[in-house]
Amino acid sequence: MTRTVALQPVWDGYCADPFVLRTADGYVMYGSAPALFAEGRAFQTLFSPDRKTWTDVGGALEPAADAPPGTEYWAPEVVAANGLYWMYYSSGVGDVGHQLRVAKATDPLGPFWDVGVVLTPDLPFAIDPSPFRDSNGSWWLFFATDFLDSERPGTVLAVAAMDDMTSLGEPQIVLTAFADWQRYEAGRQIYRQVRDWHTLEGPTVVCRDGRYWMTYSGGNWHNAGYGVGLATAEHPGGPWAPYGKGAAFLNSDDSGLTGPGHNSLFSVDGDDFAVFHAWDPTGARRRPYVEPVIWGVTGPALTP
C-alpha cells in the first residue's frame, strides 16, 4: 500500500549506494557519485550532527595512482578497526571488470588511501562490499559477484571470512536470484552469450535476537522495479534463505519512490535506521533517504 505521507530525501544532491557511519561527533554518509570531485577524490561524503541536516564535505577517497582513465568507484562502506577507518569499495573502467578494494584513513572524513590490494583477484566481477563484525569478533565481507551456473544466471550474493582487514578467505555464494522481480534485463548480451540476466546486489547484514538478517537489492537499478528483499541465516557464513518468500523490504509500490534500493542499516542507541537511495522525479540523480526501522513478527519494516 502506498504511503499517505511521502518520504523525503535528507539531501537533494547525488548520493547513490549510501552508507552511514556513526562517529563520536555525529554521522558520516558515503555514497557513489557520477564523477570525481574537484580535489580528485571519489565518493560523495556528507556529515550530520543529528541525522536530519546533512552537509557536503566533498570526496573521501584518493584514487590509486595507477587507476586507468575511465575508472568508476562504487558503493563505499566504512568501518573502524585497529585504530583506523577502513573503506571497502569496488572500482572498474566504466561498468567492466569491477573488483573489490580497500583503503584506510585516520579520520572518517578522509582522505582514504588505497592500500594497493585487490580483494577478489580470481573473480570476473565483484561489487558492493559490506563488512560485518559478528559478536565473537570475527569479520565477514558480503558482496555481489557474477555467477552463470544457475537457473537464473546473473549477479548473486557471496560472503568471505576476513583473515584481517585487507585479506579474505575463500568466497562462498550465499544467495542467487529466484524471482521475476529480480530480473535485470531480458536477452542481455554478456559474457559472449545472450541471457535473461538477474541481479542481486547491495547486501547488508545485522544480527537481532540471535538471528542474522540480510537486506539486498534486486532487479535493474535504472527503473522502478528495483527493490530490497530479505534473507535470514543462523550463521554469517550461511546457509542463507529468502525470508517471507522473498517479500520486499522496500519497493516502489510501498514507498511511493522510484527505484528505492541499495540500502544499508545502522543503529543508534538500540534503534535501527535504513539509509537508501531513490531517483528524483526527473530521473537525473539518486538521492539519499534515512528512515527508522521497526522489528516485528514479520521481520524488519520501515515505519509506516
Side-chain angles (χ1 to χ4, degrees), residues 12-209:
D12 197 43
Y14 199 112
C15 186
D17 314 324
F19 174 83
V20 169
L21 176 71
R22 188 181 186 188
T23 71
D25 299 322
Y27 305 86
V28 182
M29 182 185 297
Y30 311 88
S32 302
L36 296 180
F37 288 79
E39 69 271 27
R41 295 179 187 168
F43 298 131
Q44 177 66 69
T45 311
L46 308 172
F47 176 78
S48 174
D50 56 10
R51 306 190 308 276
K52 298 178 182 179
T53 303
W54 295 84
T55 302
D56 180 0
V57 291
L61 173 71
E62 291 283 349
D66 59 351
T71 296
E72 292 195 6
Y73 302 87
W74 293 356
E77 294 202 10
V78 174
V79 294
N82 305 330
L84 294 170
Y85 294 92
W86 303 87
M87 172 181 282
Y88 297 86
Y89 68 98
S90 78
S91 67
V93 178
D95 62 356
V96 176
H98 271 255
Q99 295 293 337
L100 304 186
R101 301 183 68 94
V102 58
K104 63 182 180 179
T106 57
D107 188 297
L109 297 180
F112 286 83
W113 301 89
D114 189 272
V115 302
V117 173
V118 176
L119 296 174
T120 52
D122 299 325
L123 297 178
F125 182 80
I127 58 173
D128 300 351
S130 182
F132 169 72
R133 186 178 187 271
D134 201 3
S135 58
N136 63 5
S138 62
W139 284 93
W140 303 79
L141 191 70
F142 292 83
F143 60 95
T145 187
D146 288 350
F147 182 65
L148 307 182
D149 189 14
S150 170
E151 291 184 5
R152 297 177 184 261
T155 304
V156 303
L157 302 181
V159 68
M162 299 172 66
D163 297 328
D164 53 43
M165 304 311 290
T166 62
S167 62
L168 303 180
E170 187 70 22
Q172 303 292 330
I173 293 170
V174 294
L175 196 66
T176 62
F178 55 86
D180 289 345
W181 71 269
Q182 298 158 353
R183 183 179 292 114
Y184 179 89
E185 182 181 354
R188 186 184 188 190
Q189 185 167 352
I190 188 169
Y191 293 112
R192 300 183 180 181
Q193 293 188 21
V194 176
R195 300 175 169 88
D196 283 354
W197 192 260
H198 293 71
T199 292
L200 304 182
E201 60 187 10
T204 189
V205 171
V206 296
C207 185
R208 295 293 178 267
D209 297 326

